[in-house]
Amino acid sequence: KTHSGVANKFYSLYIKTNIFSTDFGKVLNRTYQKRQSGDYDADAHITFEEATQTLEDARWFLNEIRIYIDKDR
């Protein structure tokens, strides 16, 4: 029911079991922290470079998920 709950469940089901690499956990954690900061820290400042990296991380993450899903079809 929470963003952190989804992240924790993903970690336990897919990263801890080596279905996905620990890089997934790093990307998930890094982007989650940015989200938390953007949503709850009134003084948060995210640079253009950080935003660009987060967008690249999200694209990589989604591509890897698509590959995994397509593999099982």
Side-chain angles (χ1 to χ4, degrees), residues 5-50:
V6 170
N8 288 336
K9 192 67 164 179
F10 184 89
Y11 180 82
S12 66
L13 291 174
Y14 295 102
I15 297 170
K16 202 171 181 183
T17 59
N18 295 316
I19 292 172
F20 291 111
S21 73
T22 57
D23 289 339
F24 269 76
K26 293 173 187 174
V27 167
L28 195 57
N29 185 50
R30 184 170 51 233
T31 56
Y32 178 74
Q33 293 303 321
K34 295 288 182 210
R35 180 216 172 259
Q36 288 293 97
S37 178
D39 281 357
Y40 300 111
D41 183 357
D43 297 323
H45 176 74
I46 298 175
T47 67
F48 179 80
E49 291 78 17
E50 289 173 313

Side-chain angles (χ1 to χ4, degrees), residues 20 62-73:
F20 291 111
L62 288 172
N63 186 58
E64 293 298 312
I65 295 293
R66 284 184 183 121
I67 290 169
Y68 175 75
I69 290 170
D70 288 345
K71 179 182 72 169
D72 291 336
R73 286 187 178 181

